[in-house]
């Protein structure tokens, strides 16, 4: 088998969500709302303009980016960071399941002890600073 310097090789496929993460990171560096062409130009590679618009539209549907009308197209701005995007994905998975308790139980039982402590601390902090609990029915 001969190496032809990459000619004919299939490009590496991105992992799920990798392109979304790259687009979101680029938008976070933008000094102002930008057009899809700006994003396309900075991503490099041979991504089609329509692919970039599709990714931006998906991020908008997830609440990770905002858009404003600019002529016949849009200008895009990041409103979430990578952690926020991951949280949105986690929420979407949870919302798609009928048995939320089973999903959350499964998730919590697979956490490392350190992650479990962190989650407990975050829940306690949220409870102490969040809105008051509704009165118990009795």
């Amino acid at each position: 088998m001969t190496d032809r310097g990459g000619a004919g090789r299939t490009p590496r496929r991105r992992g799920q969500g990798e392109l979304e993460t790259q687009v979101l990171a680029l938008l976070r560096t933008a000094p102002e709302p930008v057009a899809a062409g700006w994003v396309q130009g900075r991503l490099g590679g041979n991504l089609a303009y329509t692919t970039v618009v599709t990714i931006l539209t998906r991020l908008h549907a997830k609440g990770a980016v905002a858009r404003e009308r600019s002529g016949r197209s849009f200008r895009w701005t990041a409103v979430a960071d990578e952690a926020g995007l991951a949280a949105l994905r986690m929420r979407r998975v949870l919302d798609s399941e009928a048995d939320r308790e089973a999903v959350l139980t499964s998730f919590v039982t697979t956490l490392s002890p350190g992650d479990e402590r962190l989650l407990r601390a975050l829940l306690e902090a949220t409870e102490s600073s969040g809105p008051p609990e509704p009165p118990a029915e009795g």
Side-chain angles (χ1 to χ4, degrees):
M1 191 172 188
T2 60
D3 182 15
R4 298 180 184 176
R9 276 194 202 158
T10 304
R12 179 187 73 84
R13 288 192 50 87
R14 290 180 177 85
Q16 184 177 4
E18 185 179 340
L19 187 54
E20 287 182 349
T21 301
Q22 290 173 348
V23 167
L24 193 57
L26 272 174
L27 287 176
R28 291 183 55 77
T29 68
E32 59 188 17
V34 295
W38 184 93
V39 175
Q40 180 191 24
R42 281 156 182 80
L43 280 173
N46 297 323
L47 280 179
Y49 178 82
T50 54
T51 300
V52 174
V53 171
T54 298
I55 295 300
L56 289 165
T57 303
R58 287 180 183 164
L59 287 169
H60 182 259
K62 294 175 183 180
V65 302
R67 66 184 182 189
E68 58 189 52
R69 180 66 68 184
S70 177
R72 293 184 348 180
S73 62
F74 294 100
R75 293 205 171 274
W76 306 85
T77 308
V79 295
D81 58 11
E82 287 81 5
L85 181 58
L88 289 167
R89 285 188 193 123
M90 292 167 64
R91 180 62 189 256
R92 190 176 71 228
V93 168
L94 182 60
D95 287 346
S96 71
E97 296 297 324
D99 190 348
R100 296 173 75 88
E101 183 176 346
V103 173
L104 288 170
T105 300
S106 243
F107 176 72
V108 169
T109 59
T110 61
L111 292 174
S112 69
D115 285 344
E116 184 178 342
R117 281 190 299 277
L118 176 58
L119 181 57
R120 286 183 189 280
L122 291 169
L123 288 170
E124 288 172 13
T126 302
E127 287 172 2
S128 65
S129 66
E133 294 280 325
E137 294 181 25

